[in-house]
Amino acid sequence: TVANDVRSFDLPPLQEGYIPVEANFANQIKLLGYTLSSRRIEPGEGVTLGLAWQSLAPVLPNAVTFAVLLDANQQPYGSVDRYPDGFYSPILWAEGEVVRDSFTVPVQPDAPPGVYTLHLGQYQLINGQPVSLPLFHKEHPTADTAVVIGPFKVGGPPPDITTQNPIPQITLNQPIGNQITLLGYDLTDQDGQPIINYQLSITNYQLTLYWQANADIHTDYTVFLHLRNAANETVAQKDAPPAAGRYPTSLWSEGEIIVDEITLSLEQLPPGEYTPVVGLYELAGGARLPVPGVPANEVALQPLSLKE
């Protein structure tokens, strides 16, 4: 027995945590947005998605929704193929109709710890073979066929990014924003050897920062490293997510210690005295996390003397 629901042509009241997307699949189906149950999951559990689709054409293909969870090496550890509500194929949708769907993508019990992404899209069977609908940009097809959702942390952090017993060359224990502590840092040359006297004649400044999460963090922050000359001018800089983006701060858990290696080129700088400063800022708005007692919200590191 099939009961026909009333078709909806308006997006229902938005749920808390709704993320708008507006992803156009082949000028036929649009993903309006989604909600997520959590971005921190354990092997054997699952990621629950709430989706809002919209029909863009009077006649749609018999398309199937796919969602696949991929690790950092693009290996799958969970997937779902389905029609919305289990039966409501797009071939039944009216033009402009908004269709809601919710389902859980299971995570395999053997999924290794690390950072994952969820790839979501639509495909149709042509001669028995799945063919994904391409994403369109400004009315033109692209090479992409999936919306990438995430990142997610499955189990624990990536094993090569955190440490249990850091022994930094310089100890700081500097709190930043009541969420993160900069435990200290190492300074090495291009051969990985510690630099003790800070008299540099190298072309790259290689810094290893040790961050500790004081609580579970749910915001993405970017690390900045700025090099100031004697006139307090920034003459070199590098801004990037910690660990080159391999472990976003929004997935850090309380007590974790993250090893963050940064290389800054000094090749174009004249000899002289320089002061490196580091800190964190919110990716979305650019606001720096506060450093107690420092109006500029940055941490000054050991000054450097750059030689010929």
Side-chain angles (χ1 to χ4, degrees):
T1 301
V2 177
N4 290 327
D5 290 333
V6 176
R7 296 181 188 270
S8 174
F9 294 87
D10 297 308
L11 190 64
L14 300 183
Q15 303 177 27
E16 182 179 356
Y18 176 83
I19 300 172
V21 174
E22 300 291 321
N24 180 339
F25 288 90
N27 272 343
Q28 298 183 60
I29 299 171
K30 180 186 287 187
L31 176 65
L32 299 176
Y34 64 89
T35 59
L36 291 174
S37 58
S38 176
R39 290 175 57 202
R40 302 164 188 247
I41 47 182
E42 296 296 324
E45 296 181 348
V47 180
T48 299
L49 283 171
L51 305 177
W53 301 99
Q54 185 175 39
S55 168
L56 301 179
V59 179
L60 298 181
N62 185 32
V64 178
T65 301
F66 71 85
V68 57
L69 187 69
L70 301 177
D71 70 0
N73 297 317
Q74 302 302 293
Q75 296 301 307
Y77 282 93
S79 65
V80 165
D81 295 69
R82 62 178 269 126
Y83 295 126
D85 286 334
F87 75 94
Y88 198 38
S89 165
I91 204 170
L92 305 173
W93 301 358
E95 185 174 10
E97 183 178 357
V98 175
V99 176
R100 302 296 293 264
D101 190 24
S102 179
F103 58 90
T104 298
V105 180
V107 181
Q108 294 178 195
D110 62 345
V115 175
Y116 290 68
T117 52
L118 191 67
H119 293 237
L120 177 73
Q122 298 274 344
Y123 69 83
Q124 56 182 322
L125 292 177
I126 297 179
N127 296 324
Q129 298 298 316
V131 177
S132 295
L133 301 185
L135 281 167
F136 272 44
H137 178 66
K138 295 182 178 179
E139 302 301 315
H140 297 287
T142 70
D144 297 322
T145 58
V147 173
V148 180
I149 299 174
F152 301 88
K153 179 164 71 173
V154 175
D160 57 340
I161 290 178
T162 59
T163 182
Q164 296 291 332
N165 300 298
I167 306 177
Q169 180 184 343
I170 301 294
T171 300
L172 294 177
N173 292 322
Q174 174 64 61
I176 301 179
N178 296 321
Q179 301 180 67
I180 298 172
T181 296
L182 178 56
L183 299 178
Y185 64 93
D186 300 334
L187 180 61
T188 58
D189 61 20
Q190 53 262 44
D191 298 319
Q193 298 302 311
I195 296 174
I196 304 300
N197 57 10
Y198 303 99
Q199 302 289 314
L200 304 183
S201 58
I202 59 177
T203 56
N204 289 323
Y205 176 78
Q206 296 183 309
L207 183 69
T208 300
L209 302 171
Y210 297 91
W211 307 101
Q212 183 170 39
N214 302 330
D216 289 354
I217 300 175
H218 301 279
T219 304
D220 280 321
Y221 297 109
T222 296
V223 176
F224 66 86
L225 167 62
H226 293 178
L227 201 62
R228 306 271 169 76
N229 62 14
N232 203 34
E233 300 169 324
T234 298
V235 293
Q237 70 180 75
K238 188 166 188 177
D239 293 35
R246 296 173 58 208
Y247 191 31
T249 59
S250 58
L251 299 179
W252 290 7
S253 297
E254 182 176 2
E256 290 180 348
I257 299 173
I258 292 82
V259 181
D260 183 17
E261 298 179 350
I262 305 173
T263 300
L264 181 65
S265 175
L266 306 177
E267 201 164 2
Q268 303 301 319
L269 297 182
E273 303 296 320
Y274 298 91
T275 300
V277 298
V278 299
L280 295 157
Y281 62 86
E282 188 175 347
L283 182 60
R288 289 186 176 183
L289 282 180
V291 176
V294 183
N297 295 324
E298 59 191 26
V299 180
L301 306 184
Q302 181 72 34
L304 307 172
S305 180
L306 189 60
K307 301 188 299 181
E308 290 283 0

